[in-house]
Amino acid sequence: METKYKANAGALLLKWTTDGVLFLGYEFNGLMKGIDLLSECSYNPETAAKSVKIGSKFVNKRLNAYCEISNVLDSGTNVLGSVVVKCRELFLGYQGGYDMVSNNITKNDVGVAYACPDIDLHFRCTSIPYVYGLSVLYKARRDLDIAVNGIYGKRENTQKWTVGAGAKCKIDEKSTLRFKFDTDLQLATSLLQKIADGVTLILSFNIDCANVTRGGHKVGLALNVEA
């Protein structure tokens, strides 16, 4: 359950999950134009686990930067930062994370995206230099988008390729159909149906085609309500 209260200078967020964890956060955006200050704390009454997170975000037409420092009881302090720069139709991004206790880099990712009128390209390298990915989105028609995604990972002597394809088809003004399939033989599809203004029903499922008779398939149902 989540409640968000917006005011002139920011927003107050209160969240609770069935795990018993309470989240309290505040976003302050009245300092300077394009700069937001973020804070969040969580507490679990059953385990007495606590965490505190503070961060800042800066956004304008050509730059999107974010930095946060989080501290979890008995786990130490982590630093996370990211920056995305826009140069015409080219986007360059980097994300880095650092664990002060273990003195290890937790995130080391870079991405490049290029947008054309009908084609979008996205190249990324996560956990540099171990995992590489390339995605291509083709806008075939106004009501049909086709995408292909490839991932290559290498750790020591282990290598793995994963290639997937997906499509999004807008049936009419109220219905949208999506599906995807990859080399791991995972087939997924979803149907989004707008029931009324502000009310949307989503039905989705995933089939493991490599083990159809064994089970373990997934079905999801969601109802989004906006007021």
Side-chain angles (χ1 to χ4, degrees), residues 78-92:
N78 295 282
V79 181
L80 177 66
S82 64
V83 59
V84 178
V85 180
K86 179 184 178 183
C87 181
R88 295 183 180 274
E89 303 302 324
L90 183 67
F91 296 83
L92 303 174

Side-chain angles (χ1 to χ4, degrees), residues 3 26 35 66 70 81 89 107 109 133 176 179 197 210:
T3 301
Y26 184 75
I35 298 180
Y66 176 77
S70 60
E89 303 302 324
K107 290 185 179 294
D109 312 327
T176 302
F179 75 90
D197 291 340

Side-chain angles (χ1 to χ4, degrees), residues 103-208:
N103 196 27
N104 290 326
I105 296 177
T106 56
K107 290 185 179 294
N108 188 24
D109 312 327
V110 65
V112 180
Y114 185 76
C116 301
D118 296 327
I119 298 178
D120 293 339
L121 302 174
H122 178 213
F123 171 79
R124 68 246 183 225
C125 181
T126 58
S127 302
I128 300 174
Y130 299 109
V131 182
Y132 299 88
L134 177 63
S135 302
V136 180
L137 171 64
Y138 175 55
K139 301 175 184 178
R141 299 196 306 263
R142 180 178 299 180
D143 58 350
L144 178 62
D145 294 342
I146 301 173
V148 178
N149 179 52
I151 301 175
Y152 170 72
K154 181 178 181 180
R155 290 275 185 175
E156 297 178 351
N157 296 326
T158 303
Q159 301 184 36
K160 183 179 181 181
W161 283 91
T162 301
V163 179
K168 172 186 174 183
C169 179
K170 189 173 182 181
I171 302 174
D172 52 36
E173 295 299 325
K174 294 185 178 181
S175 304
T176 302
L177 178 66
R178 295 180 174 90
F179 75 90
K180 65 178 181 178
F181 185 76
D182 59 28
T183 52
D184 293 332
L185 301 182
Q186 299 293 316
L187 174 64
T189 185
S190 68
L191 176 64
L192 184 149
Q193 180 68 42
K194 184 177 180 182
I195 301 176
D197 291 340
V199 181
T200 303
L201 181 68
I202 304 172
L203 175 64
S204 62
F205 67 86
N206 184 90
I207 297 177
D208 186 0

